[in-house]
Amino acid sequence: MLAGVIASAELAELAGRHAERELRWRVADLGRLAGLAGGPGNGELAARFRFLPAAAGLARVVVDIEGGLVLTCQRCMGPLDWPVAVSAEFCIVASDDDAAVLPEPMDAVALGPAGLELAELVEDEVLAALPLAPMHAADGGCTAGRTAAEPDGVNRPFVGLAMLLKNDADDAGKGR
Ligand SMILES: [Zn+2]
């Protein structure tokens, strides 16, 4: 299991003393994000959590997430550096049902079986902030225009590979 699960008993204590925690995760270890941003250039996400008391004896958490992802540009299919800077605040409730009875409107996050799962919370927030179709800015190095002009150009890396494999197979056939 990834670091950063806080048991419900500990939450009240952290909130009571306005505690802060800083945690980092490798993007590769965050399964859902790694699937979207699986490139080798992906590094870490750093998150700072502040725990505070909330109404009705509950705790709330304020989180600031920073880092960078390498997404795939949906125009040229090339790598796209995507800076992450996400902030969010939640009231922590025991279950989704409890969110309905919060005294004030506030985003709620429900505890998992082991407690508050910080990695999951961070992943949820970053996923929600990602664009549906990430693309390079017009002047951001998008190679889509160039690809259209040369259909057999640099953006089809597997064409060459397929030909190499075919040649190898032909050579092997001749050798026998
Ligand atoms: Zn692009």
Side-chain angles (χ1 to χ4, degrees):
M1 181 179 285
L2 291 173
V5 178
I6 296 182
S8 55
E10 192 185 354
L11 270 175
E13 187 267 325
L14 290 170
R17 59 184 174 88
H18 298 203
E20 294 195 4
R21 286 235 177 136
E22 290 197 27
L23 289 169
R24 309 175 80 87
W25 293 273
R26 295 191 319 146
V27 173
D29 289 335
L30 299 170
R32 288 175 293 159
L33 272 177
L36 282 175
N42 280 297
E44 292 187 328
L45 291 180
R48 186 162 59 105
F49 300 89
R50 278 171 288 157
F51 298 91
L52 299 163
L58 297 170
R60 64 196 165 103
V61 60
V62 181
V63 58
D64 298 297
I65 307 160
E66 290 187 353
L69 298 174
V70 182
L71 304 178
T72 301
C73 170
Q74 295 303 300
R75 193 155 43 195
C76 70
M77 305 312 284
L80 168 63
D81 289 327
W82 189 267
V84 174
V86 178
S87 295
E89 178 171 355
F90 300 95
C91 198
I92 302 159
V93 295
S95 74
D96 285 325
D97 291 342
D98 292 353
V101 300
L102 286 180
E104 53 191 286
M106 187 182 233
D107 286 334
V109 60
L111 295 175
L116 182 64
E117 293 168 12
L118 298 180
E120 191 150 326
L121 191 153
V122 161
E123 211 176 1
D124 283 343
E125 285 308 298
V126 173
L127 282 167
L130 288 184
L132 283 175
M135 280 185 238
H136 290 115
D139 57 353
C142 198
T143 59
R146 273 177 273 161
T147 309
E150 338 169 53
D152 290 315
V154 291
N155 233 16
R156 297 175 59 189
F158 297 111
V159 172
L161 179 63
M163 290 184 66
L164 282 174
L165 290 170
K166 183 174 182 304
N167 289 344
D168 283 353
D170 288 349
D171 290 349
K174 283 176 207 145
R176 291 198 188 106

